[in-house]
Each structure stands twice: as C-alpha cells, then as structure tokens.
C-alpha cells in the first residue's frame, strides 16, 4: 500500500491524505484507494472531491532536474458536497477505472526507457476554489495488445529503443498527447529497409488501432502518408500477431517504395 500526504490548503488547515491500495495498474483496470480529509480549523463546506489522471512529459534538453509539464487527461468525481465540522475527519473510499488510453510505462513489470511519468492527484473543491494535491506516481503495465505487437516486432528483428509522449490528439483518441514507442530494425528481413519504426496505440475496450510510422520525418499529426499505416487488433486477446505485423510492415514499405 502507498501512503502520500498532500498539502494543507486554502488556509483552512484541511489535510488531504490519499492512500492508494496498488500503484501498479493496467489501462481499463481499477484504481482503488481512500482519501482522508481532516483537520479543519473551522467548519467547512466541501463542494466536491476528484481524482485526476495525469501524465508528466519531461524535456530531456533541459536536463535531468527539469520539472517537466503535467498534462491532465481524465477526471473522476469520488464525492459530491459535504460539510466538514471543525476537527473532524471524513474518509472517502473510491474505485476509479483507469482510462483505456492511459500510456504504459512497464512491460512484464520492467520499466521502459523514456521521458514520461504517469500519476494521479486528488482535487478538493472548497469555497469556490480548487486545490490540486501532489502527484502519486503510477506504474502502468502494457495490455495484451501492446505485448503482442511488441513480441511480433522482436520476432521480426526489431529492438526497443525508448518511448515518450508527444503533444497532440490523433484520430480516434481523446487524450491531449499520444505515446510513441520507438523500435529499430537491427536484424532480420526488415534490417536495411527501415531504420526507425514508431508505434502508436489508440486503445479501446474491444479493439485497438495500431499506427506504424517508418522513418517518418513529419509529426504523426500531419505525417507523410506514405510513411504510415494503421490497422486494428483485439485489445484483450490478440493472439500471435506476427504474421499480421509482418504483412502491415511489408505493405508500408511497399507504399514507401522501400
């Protein structure tokens, strides 16, 4: 279990403690925990409490100590209005679905190299003001569809390099960023035909769209269409997708003339 103490807010002496039962989650799964609100110096009227999912994008060019930029992408209300009497406590148990489009930063419980962190924060609305607490960091495990494509690429001679988040919303997605997972063709039949392959997933509960961008000099929001291809796979039970991935790569390189 993870315990994090968030700052006192708005001069009212209120303390917000957030307890997450498990920090290792999966997209579409459930985040469980409890928010404990206590310590008011005076009677207070709380207007609402929210859990917000966030992604922190680090700028490597600014050095390791750079704070990065936090992007909020999903809010879930865990409590409506209630009165908090002076000196009393108010616990709120919650179960919130992890958004399907949450990026992943772990594969088989192995952390991935890349410039991003994922987390949640607790928001307390009080006297027409909203305070955002400190971030609790999450580890997000890859879904079966992520792992199936990953394993297929490795079988075809690709090696993972890094992953990061790019600003912008691609077709079919709702988040203000998209995740790129970068692979290099180091051996096999695609070695020498493509150097860098960027993979992006648009995850849904039933199906996931996979976008391949091969040696694409443009951004994915406005790509060279000859350098990208998009196809769909089942999210939960994709099976062995090696032949599908191979066929999509072959078609992509054909339209590039490679």
């Amino acid at each position: 279990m993870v315990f994090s103490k968030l700052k006192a807010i708005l001069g009212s002496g209120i303390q917000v403690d957030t307890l997450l039962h498990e920090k290792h989650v999966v997209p579409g799964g459930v985040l469980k925990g409890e928010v404990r609100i206590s310590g008011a110096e005076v009677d207070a009227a709380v207007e609402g409490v929210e859990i917000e999912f966030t992604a922190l994008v680090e700028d490597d060019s600014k050095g390791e100590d750079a704070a990065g930029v936090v992007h909020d992408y999903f809010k879930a209300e865990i409590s409506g209005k209630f009165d908090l009497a002076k000196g009393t406590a108010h616990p709120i148990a919650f179960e919130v679905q992890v958004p399907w489009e949450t990026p992943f930063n772990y594969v088989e419980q192995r952390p991935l190299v890349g410039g991003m962190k994922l987390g949640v924060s607790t928001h307390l609305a009080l006297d027409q003001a909203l305070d955002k607490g400190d971030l609790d960091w999450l580890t997000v495990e890859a879904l079966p569809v992520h792992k199936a494509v990953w394993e297929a690429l490795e079988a075809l001679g690709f090696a993972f390099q890094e992953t990061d988040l790019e600003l912008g919303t691609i077709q079919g997605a709702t988040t203000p960023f998209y995740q790129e997972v970068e692979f290099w063709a180091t051996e096999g039949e695609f070695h020498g035909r493509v150097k860098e392959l960027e993979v992006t997933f648009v995850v849904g509960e039933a199906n996931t769209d996979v976008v391949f961008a091969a040696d694409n000099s443009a951004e994915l929001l406005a790509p060279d269409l000859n350098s990208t291809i998009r196809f769909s796979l089942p999210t939960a039970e994709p099976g062995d997708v090696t032949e599908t991935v191979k066929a999509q790569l072959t078609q992509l390189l054909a339209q590039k003339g490679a």
Side-chain angles (χ1 to χ4, degrees), residues 72-74 99 101-103 166 168-170 173-179:
D72 307 324
Y73 64 96
F74 183 78
E101 294 181 61
T102 299
E166 301 288 341
T169 301
I170 66 174
T174 61
T175 56
F177 51 78
Y178 56 93
Q179 181 177 14

Side-chain angles (χ1 to χ4, degrees), residues 1-7 15-20 23 34 36 120 122 134-137:
M1 302 179 88
V2 179
F3 183 78
S4 63
K5 184 174 290 186
L6 307 185
K7 58 187 177 183
Q15 182 172 289
V16 181
D17 299 331
T18 301
L19 179 71
L20 298 181
K23 290 185 67 174
E34 183 178 84
R36 300 169 182 171
V120 292
T122 305
D134 296 334
L135 282 172
D136 285 310
W137 299 117

Side-chain angles (χ1 to χ4, degrees), residues 214-225:
D215 297 331
N216 181 41
S217 58
E219 293 185 359
L220 194 57
L221 296 179
D224 172 2
L225 295 180

Side-chain angles (χ1 to χ4, degrees), residues 66-86:
V69 179
V70 174
H71 301 281
D72 307 324
Y73 64 96
F74 183 78
K75 294 180 181 179
E77 184 179 75
I78 62 171
S79 175
K81 295 181 178 180
F82 63 90
D83 293 325
L84 184 67
K86 176 182 177 180

Side-chain angles (χ1 to χ4, degrees), residues 18-258:
T18 301
L19 179 71
L20 298 181
H21 294 171
E22 175 60 65
K23 290 185 67 174
H24 196 93
V25 298
V26 296
V30 178
L31 178 69
K32 299 180 181 181
E34 183 178 84
V35 173
R36 300 169 182 171
I37 302 171
S38 61
E41 298 172 354
V42 296
D43 292 346
V46 177
E47 298 172 8
V49 183
E50 293 179 332
I51 294 293
E52 185 168 75
F53 287 81
T54 64
L56 177 67
V57 184
E58 298 175 349
D59 187 345
D60 293 337
S61 67
K62 296 182 179 180
E64 294 182 358
D65 295 330
V69 179
V70 174
H71 301 281
D72 307 324
Y73 64 96
F74 183 78
K75 294 180 181 179
E77 184 179 75
I78 62 171
S79 175
K81 295 181 178 180
F82 63 90
D83 293 325
L84 184 67
K86 176 182 177 180
T88 63
H90 186 89
I92 305 169
F94 66 87
E95 293 187 6
V96 176
Q97 184 179 41
V98 180
W100 284 101
E101 294 181 61
T102 299
F104 64 97
N105 55 10
Y106 269 63
V107 175
E108 301 293 354
Q109 300 194 16
R110 182 179 77 250
L112 301 182
V113 176
M116 66 174 185
K117 292 182 179 179
L118 306 169
V120 292
S121 59
T122 305
H123 294 198
L124 179 65
L126 181 69
D127 296 332
Q128 305 298 320
L130 179 66
D131 183 81
K132 181 184 295 188
D134 296 334
L135 282 172
D136 285 310
W137 299 117
L138 297 175
T139 60
V140 183
E141 180 68 31
L143 288 165
V145 67
H146 298 138
K147 296 176 185 178
V149 172
W150 189 296
E151 291 168 1
L153 288 171
E154 288 186 332
L156 293 169
F158 287 83
F160 168 72
Q161 295 302 308
E162 64 177 358
T163 182
D164 63 7
L165 299 179
E166 301 288 341
L167 286 179
T169 301
I170 66 174
Q171 182 181 358
T174 61
T175 56
F177 51 78
Y178 56 93
Q179 181 177 14
E180 287 186 340
V181 187
E182 183 180 318
F183 293 85
W184 287 0
T186 57
E187 59 184 7
E189 65 181 280
F190 295 102
H191 178 54
R193 299 174 63 194
V194 56
K195 177 182 178 182
E196 179 181 276
L197 181 71
E198 294 174 339
V199 183
T200 296
F201 299 89
V202 182
V203 179
E205 182 175 0
N207 296 295
T208 293
D209 283 357
V210 184
V211 183
F212 284 168
D215 297 331
N216 181 41
S217 58
E219 293 185 359
L220 194 57
L221 296 179
D224 172 2
L225 295 180
N226 288 330
S227 299
T228 64
I229 198 166
R230 183 168 179 155
F231 59 100
S232 185
L233 295 170
T235 298
E237 297 182 1
D240 186 343
V241 301
T242 303
E243 290 304 315
T244 299
V245 167
K246 180 179 179 180
Q248 293 295 328
L249 286 170
T250 299
Q251 180 178 339
L252 175 57
L253 295 180
Q255 68 189 35
K256 279 179 60 70

